[in-house]
Amino acid sequence: MALRLGDIAPDFFAKTTHGNINFHDWLKDSWGILFSHPKDYTPVCTTELGYMSKIKPEFDKRNVKILAISVDPIDSHCGWIGDINETQNTTVNFPIIADPSREISNLYDMIHPKADDTLTVRSVFIIGPDKIIKLSITYPASTGRNFDEVLRVVDSLQLTSNYQVATPVNWKNGDDCIIVPSIPADDIPQKFPKGHKEIKPYLRYTPQPDI
Ligand code: BEZ
């Protein structure tokens, strides 16, 4: 059965380009991003892993660990990393899982047989420090993902987790946030000392709490 938001991210043992890991132990208390790509030595994947390497410092700042996966073996990953570094002007700085048995890909439902019966689609999972799946998205092989959007979701999730705010349409870091509906009006002044605006009883904005 497919994994859903709120499910525990299944634990696994994996061989990666940075050595062997047990997923939950490797995550420790961090947030995590697990993302699959269909195949090594392909153009869209090359640009994706290159870009992710460049913005990894932004994920580090947010205490998020990055882990890629595909069904190709370690020696293929290692050779391809050389090409990514060369062509994308970067250094791949996160582990890539080799999953030739497809055990982990199947565990995370990353193979969609009607799209391709052997290769993974482009899945992304954001996993909280509690090991719970907070986001799951699936892109087709032909569309490179927007990892700035993944970073934006991390910011939104961390605000919700730390401050009981949600984020409105097209929110970006620094914009006003929405006070979650479960907070009674009487509690707002104490919980949101920066102030708030009530547009409707269910639509209440407050300045972003962490800036
Ligand atoms: C790519 O990464 O370029 C790619 C991979 C599989 C199918 C289509 C494109």
Side-chain angles (χ1 to χ4, degrees), residues 47-121:
T47 61
E48 282 195 330
L49 271 69
Y51 190 74
M52 202 51 150
S53 303
K54 288 181 184 165
I55 64 166
K56 180 172 175 289
E58 291 300 320
F59 287 104
D60 292 340
K61 271 190 225 164
R62 293 158 173 83
N63 192 29
V64 183
K65 289 187 170 176
I66 296 172
L67 184 58
I69 175 170
S70 84
V71 299
D72 289 312
I74 290 282
D75 57 345
S76 165
H77 287 346
C78 290
W80 178 45
I81 283 170
D83 282 6
I84 299 171
N85 293 346
E86 176 196 330
T87 61
Q88 307 304 303
N89 193 26
T90 190
T91 302
V92 173
N93 47 13
F94 51 82
I96 307 175
I97 296 173
D99 187 34
S101 71
R102 290 155 177 76
E103 204 174 310
I104 302 164
S105 306
N106 283 321
L107 189 62
Y108 277 78
D109 201 29
M110 291 166 165
I111 295 180
H112 296 199
K114 289 180 183 158
D116 189 303
D117 58 4
T118 55
L119 304 178
T120 45
V121 289

Side-chain angles (χ1 to χ4, degrees), residues 31 128-130 134 154-166 180:
W31 292 69
D130 51 6
K134 310 291 184 185
V154 166
D155 283 338
S156 172
L157 287 167
Q158 293 188 342
L159 280 168
T160 304
S161 158
N162 296 332
Y163 298 98
Q164 294 181 287
V165 290
V180 297

Side-chain angles (χ1 to χ4, degrees), residues 166-182:
T167 54
V169 61
N170 292 343
W171 173 87
K172 48 189 187 333
N173 212 330
D175 290 350
D176 285 352
C177 299
I178 286 175
I179 298 169
V180 297
S182 59

Side-chain angles (χ1 to χ4, degrees), residues 37-39 41-46 48 119 122 141-143:
H37 58 273
K39 203 167 168 45
Y41 296 102
T42 50
V44 176
C45 302
T46 300
E48 282 195 330
L119 304 178
R122 295 187 197 281
S142 51
T143 304

